Amino acid sequence: MPLLNRLRAAPITAPTLLAVAVFLVWVPLDNGQAVTTWAPGAIVLLALLAAALFGLPLNWRAQPVAVRAAVLLLAAFTAWSYLSITWADDQGVALEGANRTLLYLVVFALFALWPQRPATAAWVLGLWTFGIGAFALVTLIRVGTVDDLGAVFNGDRLTWPAGYANADAALFLMPFWAAVALAASRRVPVLGRAVAAALAVVLLDVGLLSQSRGSALALPVCALLMVAIVPGRLRHVAAFVPILGAAALALPKVVDLNDALDLPNLAAQQDAASAVLRWVVVAALLAGLVVGAVAAWETWRPPAAATAERVRRAWTGIVVVGAVVGAIGGLVVIGNPVHRVDHAWSSFKAGYTDTTNGPGSHFASGLGSNRYDFFRVALDVFADHPIAGAGADNFFQDYLQRGRSDETPSYPHNLALRTLEQTGLVGALLLLGAFAAGLTGAWRGMRAGRDPLAATVAGAATIGSVYWVAHGMTDWFWEWAGLGAPAFALLGLACALAPRRVEAAVPAATPTPGPLRNPFIFVPVGAALVLAALVLAGPGLAARDVNEAGKVFATRPFEAYSRLDRAADLDPLSDTPDLVKGSIALRYGDLDRAQAAFQDALDRNPRGQYATLELGAIASVRGDRAAARRLLDRARALAPRDPTTREAAAIADRNGVVDLDVLNARLLTAGQALAGG
């Protein structure tokens, strides 16, 4: 089918390709983690959805029931997230959390509501897969050629381009499944299959450089699901063999680099990094050549039906025998499974240990981290607010008050607990229902039976989305828009391949008037889209002004104050502009301005520990002993493990004076006495 005819048959292809371009633009910008990055992208995506709603035919009643249910349930979860602002302590972060949920709703609706053809859906999936694969290749080249490996590694873990090792792992391992599926599909051109296989090796090996233990748990889960539920399992297993074999050839060099980065010898580090580049490139080329040769044989000299059937039966036997041998070998390696599980649980509860943070592979250091404590606090907060939750993204202050570790996380690091703790049972049921309906729609896309390519694309997209969920059970990926938005897009793309009830009756290329042509629907929908754009823009613009104020305050303080005042107007729920304003005023000794700013911050966030601490210290300097004791006692109750706060409160208890300069220096460093004259 000519290109233009395919686009006419699936006109949503152009907007979804542009949406994928937004995802790719985010990648070198910390993969869209900061609101100043993802909020403008969210507005672009909202504009693409608006263009589709008003410009393309849309028959809501013809949608599969599962797709309609997924959109409605996700919309209800988004509305509930916004409603949670009303009972959240920190309404500013609740607004940002609700806005991020709105982004996911926009992306899912854009990708799911309009039907796709297998070929056009493959273009969308291919652009994202090959685009991230190109970033993986660039990352690999940087690893092998950069003079200072600290620019791409934190310790011995890859942290470029996302800036966080676990996010980097997810960035590269989410599209790995699509690369494998495209390499296995007979409907993909020979060159495309070879390139997909080569990029799969690069994606896997570069993803492993991040040493994410969450990925080690998510990878086997997704591999089993891909073999079990995605049609064409024998072809996928056949593609896995050269891809995993080639990746395994380079794996020792990846391990050697991780070990070398624990040593002070810079020359040895650079040699190990160069070896990783060489071996991964060779392995990728090898996998591409093998898969490309098989693809060429299938395409140009297809076997006879009888021969193909014999090959299929023989390969089925090999796969079954291999699975049995692999299972037995795995049990031998693992040993007593009860002992293994008990050891893993003990390691998980123990937190960080010398083994966890010492030299050697992060994969082999056990499951020790502070996540057990994060999860414990999240469950405690959920128990206090079981129905409605504590409010979107409201976790930081509760962990300050209830946590036991030295960390101060903003999020629970678990998708399920995040949903329960912040949106309660109501939000959890809505989101669980949305995922269940979306996966049902994706299943229908895989099982439609119209075209093997549809099953390939729907299956690969579904596994990529499932990887995000599986890995997100041990990390804060919901709050990482550059990971969450593609995950919802992938699920939506799989749903777009589910058959519509009117497909047989109405040719796809025949335009039909959409419901939004009706002015009674056009006006409220248009108003809702404009309001959504304004709500998305406010926090992003405010954060940009806060960042700019931080750059100029040392030389142009009044310009900084002006920017912070504007930021407070743009995002009237956030206490951040006032906190920054108060901190700058203290640098200049302007106690009146600082006190007013911190009081404004406390009015916006009544449990703000930092504002409470600073107001207590200012009261101490001004001789208001009663206010100082009250505020600093409150600050100590809000952060009982913080030694600086405890010392300041102790000074107030004995009617001493807190040294403001030392206090603020101590918030960044440690070691000076807080008592002033």
Side-chain angles (χ1 to χ4, degrees):
M1 183 184 294
L3 174 62
L4 289 179
N5 288 343
R6 284 178 172 170
L7 289 175
R8 289 192 188 100
I12 193 61
T13 303
T16 51
L17 287 172
L18 291 173
V20 171
V22 172
F23 303 156
L24 296 177
V25 168
W26 281 343
V27 171
L29 304 174
D30 291 336
N31 199 30
Q33 194 276 323
V35 66
T36 49
T37 300
W38 69 256
I43 294 173
V44 172
L45 293 165
L46 184 68
L48 291 173
L49 177 62
L53 285 171
F54 294 120
L56 299 179
L58 176 64
N59 190 336
W60 174 256
R61 287 179 295 181
Q63 298 289 334
V65 174
V67 175
R68 282 185 284 172
V71 172
L72 291 175
L73 287 168
L74 189 55
F77 179 70
T78 303
W80 184 254
S81 296
Y82 277 110
L83 188 61
S84 76
I85 297 172
T86 61
W87 60 77
D89 288 321
D90 191 339
Q91 295 184 332
V93 299
L95 174 60
E96 184 175 333
N99 279 351
R100 197 180 293 107
T101 306
L102 174 62
L103 164 64
Y104 298 158
L105 171 63
V106 167
V107 168
F108 181 76
L110 176 64
F111 279 77
L113 286 179
W114 287 268
Q116 279 279 10
R117 297 304 185 202
T120 54
W123 297 347
V124 176
L125 183 67
L127 176 62
W128 178 70
T129 303
F130 291 165
I132 301 297
F135 277 111
L137 184 58
V138 170
T139 302
L140 177 64
I141 294 171
R142 287 201 69 188
V143 167
T145 60
V146 71
D147 292 332
D148 179 14
L149 287 169
V152 290
F153 283 86
N154 180 11
D156 60 353
R157 303 181 66 191
L158 180 72
T159 55
W160 191 89
Y164 175 53
N166 295 333
D168 274 300
L171 170 67
F172 296 128
L173 295 177
M174 282 174 63
F176 167 75
W177 312 100
V180 171
L182 293 173
S185 175
R186 292 189 66 174
R187 287 289 309 279
V188 176
V190 171
L191 180 60
R193 292 176 65 179
V195 172
L199 288 179
V201 173
V202 176
L203 287 165
L204 182 57
D205 279 331
V206 172
L208 293 177
L209 283 172
S210 297
Q211 297 192 73
S212 171
R213 291 174 293 183
S215 71
L217 298 174
L219 281 170
V221 170
C222 291
L224 289 174
L225 287 175
M226 189 165 184
V227 173
I229 69 173
V230 179
R233 61 177 59 88
L234 292 179
R235 299 188 65 84
H236 294 145
V237 172
F240 271 128
V241 171
I243 289 170
L244 296 181
L249 289 176
L251 187 59
K253 299 301 178 183
V254 171
V255 174
D256 288 345
L257 175 58
N258 294 143
D259 292 339
L261 289 170
D262 288 323
L263 303 174
N265 190 329
L266 296 180
Q269 292 178 7
Q270 291 177 341
D271 288 344
S274 298
V276 167
L277 172 59
R278 292 193 304 272
W279 277 81
V280 173
V281 168
V282 169
L285 291 174
L286 180 61
L289 287 172
V290 171
V291 172
V294 173
W297 172 67
E298 281 191 309
T299 302
W300 298 323
R301 298 196 62 180
T307 303
E309 180 62 19
R310 286 196 296 270
V311 171
R312 188 188 68 79
R313 290 178 180 176
W315 182 239
T316 301
I318 293 171
V319 170
V320 171
V321 171
V324 172
V325 171
I328 295 173
L331 290 174
V332 171
V333 172
I334 291 174
N336 187 333
V338 175
H339 174 73
R340 284 285 187 176
V341 171
D342 181 67
H343 174 74
W345 178 247
S346 299
S347 172
F348 179 60
K349 289 182 64 176
Y352 286 111
T353 64
D354 292 340
T355 302
T356 307
N357 297 310
S361 173
H362 195 67
F363 288 120
S365 61
L367 298 180
S369 72
N370 290 322
R371 280 171 174 74
Y372 175 82
D373 198 43
F374 302 169
F375 297 174
R376 177 191 61 80
V377 171
L379 287 171
D380 287 347
V381 176
F382 166 66
D384 291 343
H385 310 278
I387 304 302
D393 278 8
N394 272 242
F395 180 75
F396 172 76
Q397 185 54 59
D398 282 305
Y399 193 80
L400 274 186
Q401 194 163 17
R402 305 183 189 210
R404 296 169 183 164
S405 76
D406 293 333
E407 291 189 70
T408 55
S410 297
Y411 314 108
H413 287 59
N414 181 287
L415 174 58
L417 293 180
R418 181 257 179 208
T419 307
L420 284 168
E421 180 259 333
Q422 296 172 18
T423 61
L425 285 172
V426 174
L429 291 174
L430 289 172
L431 185 59
L432 180 62
F435 276 134
L439 290 172
T440 302
W443 176 267
R444 292 197 64 196
M446 282 187 273
R447 303 289 166 173
R450 298 164 299 167
D451 189 325
L453 185 59
T456 294
V457 174
T462 301
I463 299 301
S465 183
V466 167
Y467 177 89
W468 174 78
V469 173
H471 197 164
M473 290 299 179
T474 61
D475 229 306
W476 50 290
F477 288 167
W478 180 274
E479 292 80 14
W480 210 291
L483 298 174
F488 278 93
L490 291 171
L491 186 60
L493 184 65
C495 289
L497 289 164
R500 268 62 177 171
R501 287 184 296 172
V502 297
E503 280 188 326
V506 180
T510 302
T512 57
L516 295 183
R517 306 289 175 86
N518 186 326
F520 293 102
I521 300 178
F522 178 96
V523 173
V525 171
L529 290 170
V530 171
L531 177 61
L534 293 175
V535 171
L536 286 168
L541 292 172
R544 187 188 65 176
D545 273 331
V546 170
N547 290 343
E548 291 300 318
K551 295 175 183 177
V552 304
F553 81 90
T555 55
R556 302 191 298 277
F558 290 102
E559 179 183 337
Y561 294 146
S562 177
R563 285 186 175 275
L564 292 168
D565 288 339
R566 184 169 63 187
D569 292 335
L570 288 167
D571 189 0
L573 299 180
S574 174
D575 62 347
T576 301
D578 291 316
L579 292 176
V580 176
K581 183 179 180 181
S583 299
I584 293 173
L586 285 181
R587 294 283 189 97
Y588 286 96
D590 189 344
L591 294 188
D592 290 337
R593 191 188 300 271
Q595 185 172 12
F598 287 125
Q599 187 58 58
D600 287 342
L602 203 58
D603 291 341
R604 296 186 184 209
N605 179 11
R607 293 180 69 202
Q609 191 268 345
Y610 175 58
T612 305
L613 173 62
E614 293 287 15
L615 285 171
I618 291 172
S620 171
V621 170
R622 290 187 153 174
D624 190 346
R625 307 296 190 223
R629 284 196 298 272
R630 174 177 55 81
L631 288 165
L632 291 173
D633 281 346
R634 170 70 171 161
R636 178 168 51 190
L638 289 170
R641 290 167 292 118
D642 178 45
T644 300
T645 302
R646 290 202 307 268
E647 186 177 344
I651 291 171
D653 288 341
R654 58 177 184 265
N655 291 325
V657 178
V658 176
D659 189 315
L660 276 170
D661 293 334
V662 176
L663 170 69
N664 288 287
R666 279 276 298 276
L667 293 175
L668 299 175
T669 59
Q672 300 182 66
L674 287 178

